[in-house]
Amino acid sequence: MQLNTNRSLIKFILLNLITFGIYGLLAMSYISIDINLIASKYDGKHTTHFLLMAFVFSWLTLGIAPFVWYHKLSSRIGYELLRRRIPYRFGAASFWGWNILGSLIVIGPLVYTHKLFKAMNLLSQSYNEED
């Protein structure tokens, strides 16, 4: 099974607008599925499916679950990049710096999303070549 390696911010924004947010939900769902496929056999962890987190846990935790989920996802991606010796810096600090604090300068969440997609493209490419 070949994983998607062509995630991009422009495509994400345009298709998200055209589909009224449905593409964004699917894109993040596939990221949660792909990181489990790529990393679970090495780190023994499991990332909760994005839709479950967004529609169930987010409401139950009064909006705290997405912060925890993105923190854990970003950290897990960062560790997998290190494990595979892929020279790209990404991790929980990227989430807190760009997505949270960066929202003060408006474009921060876009930078985070671009970095997330690039990191996942690199991991997916490595997975497709090696595993």
Side-chain angles (χ1 to χ4, degrees):
M1 177 177 166
Q2 294 289 309
L3 299 181
N4 182 9
T5 59
N6 66 349
R7 297 172 183 94
S8 77
L9 181 62
I10 300 297
K11 181 170 84 171
F12 179 78
I13 291 170
L14 292 176
L15 290 176
N16 211 19
L17 288 171
I18 292 169
T19 63
F20 301 104
I22 293 171
Y23 180 79
L25 294 172
L26 289 175
M28 292 308 298
S29 294
Y30 283 116
I31 285 177
S32 64
I33 292 167
D34 288 354
I35 193 61
N36 284 329
L37 185 62
I38 293 168
S40 288
K41 67 182 175 182
Y42 301 106
D43 63 10
K45 296 179 182 176
H46 178 78
T47 297
T48 304
H49 195 278
F50 179 76
L51 294 177
L52 182 63
M53 182 280 303
F55 292 122
V56 177
F57 296 135
S58 180
W59 293 100
L60 292 174
T61 62
L62 303 176
I64 295 172
F67 292 107
V68 174
W69 188 86
Y70 275 107
H71 172 89
K72 287 183 175 183
L73 173 74
S74 299
S75 179
R76 190 170 185 206
I77 291 170
Y79 286 129
E80 189 62 18
L81 287 167
L82 285 173
R83 192 192 70 72
R84 290 179 180 263
R85 294 187 175 100
I86 297 172
Y88 187 70
R89 290 180 43 99
F90 186 81
S94 300
F95 167 67
W96 292 105
W98 284 112
N99 202 35
I100 303 303
L101 293 176
S103 64
L104 297 173
I105 60 170
V106 181
I107 64 164
L110 296 175
V111 172
Y112 170 76
T113 304
H114 168 72
K115 290 177 71 66
L116 172 66
F117 288 164
K118 182 168 182 176
M120 283 304 299
N121 285 341
L122 291 169
L123 285 176
S124 296
Q125 181 179 6
S126 174
Y127 178 85
N128 291 342
E129 293 170 358
E130 297 174 10
D131 294 314

